[in-house]
Amino acid sequence: MLERPCIQSRGFKNVESHGKVIGFQVNIRSLYYRGLWLSQLRPATVTVDGETFSGDQITWTINDVTYTQAEMAELGDVHWGLLEPATLTVAKEGGLESGSHEIEVNYTYSCSYFPPVVDTILGGTHKRTLILV
Amino acid sequence: MLERPCIQSRGFKNVESHGKVIGFQVNIRSLYYRGLWLSQLRPATVTVDGETFSGDQITWTINDVTYTQAEMAELGDVHWGLLEPATLTVAKEGGLESGSHEIEVNYTYSCSYFPPVVDTILGGTHKRTLILV
Amino acid sequence: MTNQVGKTKPKRGVSLYSYAGEYGVTMSLEDMFAEMHDMGARGLEILANSHIEGYPNPSEEWLENWDRLIKKYDIVPVEYGHWVDSRLYQGRHLTPEESYEMLVRDFKLANRLGFTVLRTKLGVIDDELTPVENWREFIKLALPMAEKYNVRMCPEIHAPTLLKSKMVDDYVQLIEETGTKHFGLNIDFGVFTTKTIPASEWGPNEFIMPESDHSPVEDIIPLLPYVYCCHAKFVKMSDDFEEMTIPYETIINTLIEHNWDGYMVSEYEGPKKDVPGYAVEQVRKHHVMMKRILGE
Amino acid sequence: MTNQVGKTKPKRGVSLYSYAGEYGVTMSLEDMFAEMHDMGARGLEILANSHIEGYPNPSEEWLENWDRLIKKYDIVPVEYGHWVDSRLYQGRHLTPEESYEMLVRDFKLANRLGFTVLRTKLGVIDDELTPVENWREFIKLALPMAEKYNVRMCPEIHAPTLLKSKMVDDYVQLIEETGTKHFGLNIDFGVFTTKTIPASEWGPNEFIMPESDHSPVEDIIPLLPYVYCCHAKFVKMSDDFEEMTIPYETIINTLIEHNWDGYMVSEYEGPKKDVPGYAVEQVRKHHVMMKRILGE
Ligand SMILES: [Mn+2]
Ligand SMILES: [Mn+2]
């Protein structure tokens, strides 16, 4: 099952490419009561131990397909379901050290049946301390 | 998933036979960390709103097979797994009324790697208020 | 009032929205169906975007499991919640053609899953929740396909909207003008709210519906021919099985008197949805109440 | 001490017992495997009676899913916990033949699932945890089948038992007398406990292990040839990744010095197992510590 918070502890790890650690990954689940089309999402930022990442430093992997945040804005027919955690991959050379890390994830999304003003309000900042082994 | 308490709310209902309500059912899960052979179990009692049922007034249904409590004492090769709630069917003519009910379930079980004295101690009484629709 | 045996009556169901705080964390789709079965609440509302894994393209495996669960728990698929997400792309609204495509995609899926009523949520353009300007255009465009796939599009009439309002008049006008049986209304009983619970009962992160004017229950009567499903919205059940904010006895008796026999699907929108088991118990209490008023 | 690169070292794993408070409620088998994968903790201990659905006769479907998960999460099946439930029937002990049958049933299943070490829990007859009188008889009876199914039966040496004790001597004697490679020991690091956490940290319904004598770490050295797996028991990890009750640095360095390269499977036995996420975080901290001491 998913963990209750937005930020999941399962899936938190460094990622390697060609034998080099190129970043880290953290999984999130949507706390909204319905799934979202990718184009409804506004770009996320991820802050780890005070350092903030944004834009093309972050990709989203949903159902085994990876998207840049720029691509997502155009994808009105790909859906992020409630049972599918999204993997945020954050480009950070060398990754994170083994130990405790303060993670913050921020994003908002549009909701057409609410007044237009909510599109930059729904969602928000989620925080959790995670342990990287 | 299972609910955390021993006494589950899902599955609480009256049971009919040939158009007559002949009793009620309540599901329990084992809170012990390992599953149990049916012969390890000591007969359960169920108390509902102060009225206690025991012995052959109660059957256990595990994995779609129903056992009397007398039969269970001899079944050393049938296993009650942790992911399988047991359905206790309690014979009570007319069943229970729609509304709120205080349920207590009591049973113990043997545990061979602990001193023999624990066989009447492990387990015990579980209580929960359930709503019958 | 004693309800006569044999008379046409509203039926009981559940919107799975009620269990939103547990879904995926402590309850699966099957767990929610099992709850309904225990309560004799046969009528199901799902939210397409929430409860269909792989939406909008569920796998064959998921569909087979759906069929199995519907049968196992004796569920009647009633209402399929979906959205025309008009602000799908930042900076513009969907065109009528895009909205049409979005609707038809859901007609097909709803039909495959056995639903005949759609809770069709339209995008809005202002704080008064006025629907997008081109709604008539794409709804009319979609009517033939709604007929083909045997579904009724029903905007939800939800507080703060009143039953006597321009919005409802506009929807009724479209129905009468076209004579369609494939566009109607979902009435959310929240429009009849006469009381609120103390703000202190809500948690710090919970959304509290602002107080607003309410409609008298009798205002539903002229609309009933167009009402294909109701949201039996509720906020708090007392320990003696009374709902604390909405005049349920009057509502249900009005529906009975006027021979309305659709489904009332429980929609829990009170506090503590995130507390495991809390919403589940609230829905059970809600059905004890409805069963008593219905004389079941 | 700096651990030399390339030297034979103990390996890290997890006993799923650690997640007992979450299993079936907030975690599935797959969730537990995913946790292990995140931690690079490849060695798996299951408890047969807990983690095999349909035990002792899992379905083909379950077995196929097992194989898929083992592969997907790069898991090494290490230790299979099982029991000879000597008081299976009220009023009598199992006969040697019945115990033998119970063992062999598990040999076959363990072998099918890929395990080579068994944590074989024997029934006891008194408060000192003396094993049943006929244990030698059925263990010897089972040795040929253990060889056939490539498994090692290992009673767990667990506090309050000491490493220098008649019980351990008896087990070692059987090994030396028979020369078998299919009977050995599992050492639970709880035997090295030097401190306890305050009783106030435990909840009202939690079992607190009574204090008892402990073994010095070096007492494990002569036993190492017979130790096929260790329970890396722990009770509390501090926020700076120290275990509060057991001298881990000494234990792991002793194992390294003596070239013991089996699996240490984390076994969390501290407070708050029922608090979602708590044990999960404790196990992660435990692996941060083990990784550091191992110099990984
Ligand atoms: Mn509603
Ligand atoms: Mn142990």
Side-chain angles (χ1 to χ4, degrees):
Chain A
M1 301 299 272
L2 297 167
E3 300 162 68
R4 187 169 291 284
C6 166
I7 298 175
Q8 305 284 296
S9 72
R10 271 194 285 293
F12 181 49
K13 59 188 167 219
N14 283 324
V15 269
E16 288 189 18
S17 174
H18 304 99
K20 253 182 60 187
V21 175
I22 54 161
F24 67 92
Q25 288 186 332
V26 63
N27 285 351
I28 60 172
R29 78 169 183 118
S30 174
L31 298 187
Y32 188 40
Y33 73 91
R34 66 169 174 137
L36 292 162
W37 302 104
L38 298 195
S39 57
Q40 286 180 268
L41 287 158
R42 302 293 172 259
T45 62
V46 176
T47 302
V48 55
D49 305 325
E51 185 182 2
T52 299
F53 300 83
S54 63
D56 61 6
Q57 297 174 299
I58 300 170
T59 60
W60 292 59
T61 305
I62 291 167
N63 254 321
D64 298 328
V65 183
T66 299
Y67 308 93
T68 66
Q69 300 209 88
E71 283 166 353
M72 290 168 69
E74 302 303 317
L75 293 172
D77 58 353
V78 179
H79 196 253
W80 178 27
L82 298 186
L83 302 187
E84 299 149 12
T87 301
L88 304 182
T89 302
V90 179
K92 178 180 163 61
E93 221 171 283
L96 300 174
E97 285 183 18
S98 176
S100 191
H101 298 283
E102 301 296 327
I103 309 289
E104 285 182 38
V105 175
N106 179 290
Y107 67 93
T108 61
Y109 47 85
S110 75
C111 176
S112 306
Y113 72 90
F114 277 165
V117 62
V118 305
D119 291 7
T120 52
I121 295 172
L122 290 173
T125 301
H126 306 274
K127 299 183 190 196
R128 194 168 175 194
T129 304
L130 297 183
I131 309 293
L132 189 94
V133 178
Chain B
M1 305 297 274
L2 298 167
E3 299 163 71
R4 188 168 290 283
C6 166
I7 298 176
Q8 306 283 294
S9 72
R10 271 194 285 294
F12 181 50
K13 57 186 168 220
N14 283 323
V15 269
E16 289 190 18
S17 176
H18 304 99
K20 252 182 62 186
V21 176
I22 55 163
F24 67 92
Q25 288 187 331
V26 63
N27 284 352
I28 59 173
R29 78 170 182 117
S30 174
L31 298 187
Y32 189 40
Y33 74 90
R34 65 168 174 138
L36 292 162
W37 303 105
L38 298 194
S39 58
Q40 284 181 268
L41 287 158
R42 302 293 172 258
T45 62
V46 176
T47 302
V48 55
D49 306 324
E51 185 182 2
T52 298
F53 300 82
S54 63
D56 62 6
Q57 297 174 298
I58 299 169
T59 61
W60 293 57
T61 304
I62 292 167
N63 254 320
D64 298 329
V65 183
T66 299
Y67 308 94
T68 66
Q69 299 208 88
E71 282 166 352
M72 289 168 68
E74 301 304 317
L75 294 172
D77 59 353
V78 179
H79 196 254
W80 177 28
L82 297 186
L83 302 187
E84 299 148 13
T87 300
L88 304 181
T89 302
V90 179
K92 177 179 165 62
E93 222 173 283
L96 299 174
E97 285 183 16
S98 177
S100 190
H101 298 282
E102 301 295 326
I103 309 289
E104 285 182 40
V105 174
N106 179 291
Y107 66 94
T108 62
Y109 47 85
S110 74
C111 177
S112 306
Y113 72 90
F114 276 164
V117 63
V118 305
D119 291 6
T120 52
I121 294 173
L122 288 173
T125 301
H126 307 274
K127 300 184 190 194
R128 194 169 176 193
T129 304
L130 296 184
I131 309 294
L132 189 93
V133 177
Chain C
M1 167 182 168
T2 307
N3 293 311
Q4 293 168 245
V5 177
K7 207 173 170 191
T8 304
K9 274 184 201 174
K11 299 185 278 279
R12 293 185 290 116
V14 175
S15 171
L16 300 190
Y17 172 78
S18 301
Y19 307 125
E22 311 229 27
Y23 180 55
V25 179
T26 46
M27 287 178 93
S28 65
L29 186 68
E30 178 157 5
D31 291 333
M32 300 189 288
F33 281 16
E35 269 299 308
M36 290 174 64
H37 186 65
D38 279 357
M39 295 187 285
R42 297 183 69 210
L44 169 68
E45 177 185 87
I46 64 162
L47 306 179
N49 308 41
S50 308
H51 302 117
I52 301 174
E53 265 187 271
Y55 177 79
N57 303 302
S59 65
E60 255 320 302
E61 192 186 348
W62 189 88
L63 289 168
E64 277 166 31
N65 191 48
W66 172 269
D67 295 338
R68 182 183 68 80
L69 293 177
I70 291 288
K71 198 167 168 186
K72 174 172 178 187
Y73 294 102
D74 192 26
I75 301 287
V76 179
V78 170
E79 187 165 77
Y80 175 103
H82 70 138
W83 284 262
V84 180
D85 281 297
S86 52
R87 299 198 300 278
L88 183 62
Y89 301 105
Q90 196 167 5
R92 68 173 183 91
H93 281 173
L94 291 188
T95 64
E97 291 70 28
E98 287 172 322
S99 302
Y100 167 85
E101 295 296 346
M102 211 159 184
L103 284 169
V104 173
R105 182 173 60 198
D106 280 316
F107 294 174
K108 293 177 183 174
L109 197 43
N111 176 271
R112 165 62 185 86
L113 300 181
F115 292 94
T116 56
V117 183
L118 309 177
R119 197 281 321 256
T120 303
K121 209 89 176 171
L122 302 175
V124 307
I125 55 172
D126 57 26
D127 291 355
E128 283 67 51
L129 308 180
T130 308
V132 288
E133 281 156 24
N134 58 15
W135 73 268
R136 279 181 190 80
E137 192 177 345
F138 63 76
I139 291 292
K140 283 184 185 173
L141 210 55
L143 284 175
M145 293 300 266
E147 189 174 348
K148 176 172 176 187
Y149 288 103
N150 189 29
V151 289
R152 283 127 210 91
M153 295 175 273
C154 298
E156 176 176 0
I157 312 306
H158 191 290
T161 301
L162 296 173
L163 297 185
K164 285 189 170 158
S165 61
K166 178 168 184 312
M167 192 193 297
V168 175
D169 291 347
D170 286 350
Y171 292 145
V172 169
Q173 198 209 345
L174 182 130
I175 297 167
E176 296 185 337
E177 167 200 328
T178 59
T180 185
K181 295 284 176 206
H182 296 277
F183 186 78
L185 302 173
N186 168 311
I187 308 295
D188 181 294
F189 291 170
V191 300
F192 305 124
T193 300
T194 51
K195 293 178 204 152
T196 54
I197 60 171
S200 60
E201 298 202 16
W202 295 88
N205 294 315
E206 290 178 319
F207 177 77
I208 308 178
M209 189 69 194
E211 280 192 64
S212 61
D213 267 3
H214 68 272
S215 297
V217 174
E218 67 260 27
D219 284 0
I220 201 176
I221 299 169
L223 300 174
L224 286 176
Y226 314 126
V227 176
Y228 293 110
C229 187
C230 286
H231 271 182
K233 166 69 55 66
F234 71 110
V235 175
K236 186 176 181 179
M237 293 300 304
S238 71
D239 284 339
D240 53 354
F241 306 101
E242 305 279 356
E243 209 286 331
M244 313 291 280
T245 69
I246 292 166
Y248 262 94
E249 186 131 8
T250 310
I251 296 168
I252 294 179
N253 283 327
T254 299
L255 296 176
I256 294 171
E257 279 165 36
H258 293 83
N259 298 307
W260 189 81
D261 64 353
Y263 278 90
M264 303 182 293
V265 297
S266 292
E267 191 184 43
Y268 178 60
E269 198 148 77
K272 297 191 199 171
K273 285 190 116 160
D274 281 358
V275 176
Y278 192 86
V280 171
E281 185 176 284
Q282 283 285 310
V283 174
R284 283 189 174 241
K285 287 181 171 176
H286 193 231
H287 279 263
V288 170
M289 176 191 72
M290 293 202 293
K291 203 174 165 183
R292 287 180 182 177
I293 302 175
L294 289 164
E296 279 184 24
Chain D
M1 166 183 168
T2 307
N3 293 311
Q4 293 167 246
V5 177
K7 204 172 172 193
T8 305
K9 275 183 201 173
K11 298 184 279 279
R12 294 185 289 118
V14 174
S15 171
L16 299 190
Y17 172 79
S18 300
Y19 306 125
E22 311 230 27
Y23 180 55
V25 179
T26 46
M27 285 177 96
S28 65
L29 186 67
E30 178 157 4
D31 291 332
M32 300 189 288
F33 281 16
E35 270 299 307
M36 292 175 63
H37 186 65
D38 280 356
M39 295 187 287
R42 296 183 69 210
L44 170 68
E45 178 186 87
I46 65 162
L47 307 178
N49 307 41
S50 308
H51 302 118
I52 301 174
E53 265 186 272
Y55 178 78
N57 302 304
S59 65
E60 255 321 300
E61 191 186 349
W62 189 88
L63 290 168
E64 276 166 32
N65 191 49
W66 172 269
D67 294 338
R68 183 184 68 82
L69 294 177
I70 291 288
K71 200 167 165 185
K72 174 172 178 188
Y73 294 101
D74 192 26
I75 301 286
V76 180
V78 170
E79 188 165 78
Y80 174 104
H82 69 139
W83 284 262
V84 180
D85 281 297
S86 53
R87 300 198 301 277
L88 183 62
Y89 301 104
Q90 198 168 3
R92 69 173 183 90
H93 282 174
L94 292 188
T95 65
E97 291 72 26
E98 287 172 321
S99 301
Y100 167 86
E101 295 295 346
M102 210 159 185
L103 285 168
V104 174
R105 182 172 59 196
D106 280 316
F107 295 174
K108 293 177 184 173
L109 197 42
N111 176 270
R112 165 62 184 86
L113 300 181
F115 293 94
T116 56
V117 183
L118 308 177
R119 197 280 322 257
T120 304
K121 210 89 177 172
L122 302 175
V124 307
I125 54 172
D126 57 26
D127 291 355
E128 283 68 50
L129 308 178
T130 308
V132 288
E133 283 158 23
N134 57 14
W135 73 268
R136 278 182 192 78
E137 190 177 346
F138 62 75
I139 291 292
K140 284 185 185 171
L141 210 54
L143 284 175
M145 293 301 264
E147 189 175 347
K148 175 172 176 187
Y149 289 103
N150 189 29
V151 289
R152 283 128 210 90
M153 295 176 274
C154 299
E156 177 176 357
I157 312 305
H158 192 288
T161 301
L162 296 173
L163 297 184
K164 284 188 171 160
S165 61
K166 179 171 184 311
M167 192 193 295
V168 175
D169 291 347
D170 286 351
Y171 292 145
V172 169
Q173 198 210 345
L174 181 129
I175 297 166
E176 295 184 338
E177 167 201 329
T178 60
T180 184
K181 297 284 179 204
H182 295 277
F183 187 79
L185 301 173
N186 167 312
I187 308 295
D188 181 295
F189 291 169
V191 300
F192 305 124
T193 301
T194 51
K195 294 180 202 149
T196 55
I197 59 171
S200 61
E201 298 201 18
W202 295 89
N205 294 315
E206 291 178 318
F207 177 76
I208 308 178
M209 189 68 195
E211 279 191 65
S212 61
D213 268 1
H214 68 273
S215 296
V217 173
E218 68 260 27
D219 283 2
I220 200 175
I221 299 169
L223 300 174
L224 286 176
Y226 314 127
V227 176
Y228 293 111
C229 187
C230 287
H231 271 181
K233 166 69 57 65
F234 71 108
V235 175
K236 185 176 181 179
M237 293 300 304
S238 71
D239 284 339
D240 52 356
F241 306 101
E242 305 278 356
E243 210 287 331
M244 313 291 280
T245 68
I246 292 166
Y248 262 92
E249 187 131 7
T250 310
I251 295 168
I252 294 179
N253 283 326
T254 300
L255 297 176
I256 294 170
E257 279 164 35
H258 292 83
N259 297 308
W260 189 82
D261 64 353
Y263 278 90
M264 304 183 292
V265 297
S266 291
E267 192 184 43
Y268 179 59
E269 198 148 77
K272 298 191 197 171
K273 284 189 118 163
D274 280 359
V275 176
Y278 192 87
V280 170
E281 185 176 285
Q282 284 285 308
V283 175
R284 284 190 173 239
K285 288 181 171 177
H286 193 230
H287 280 261
V288 171
M289 176 192 71
M290 293 203 293
K291 203 173 165 183
R292 288 180 183 177
I293 302 174
L294 289 164
E296 280 184 23

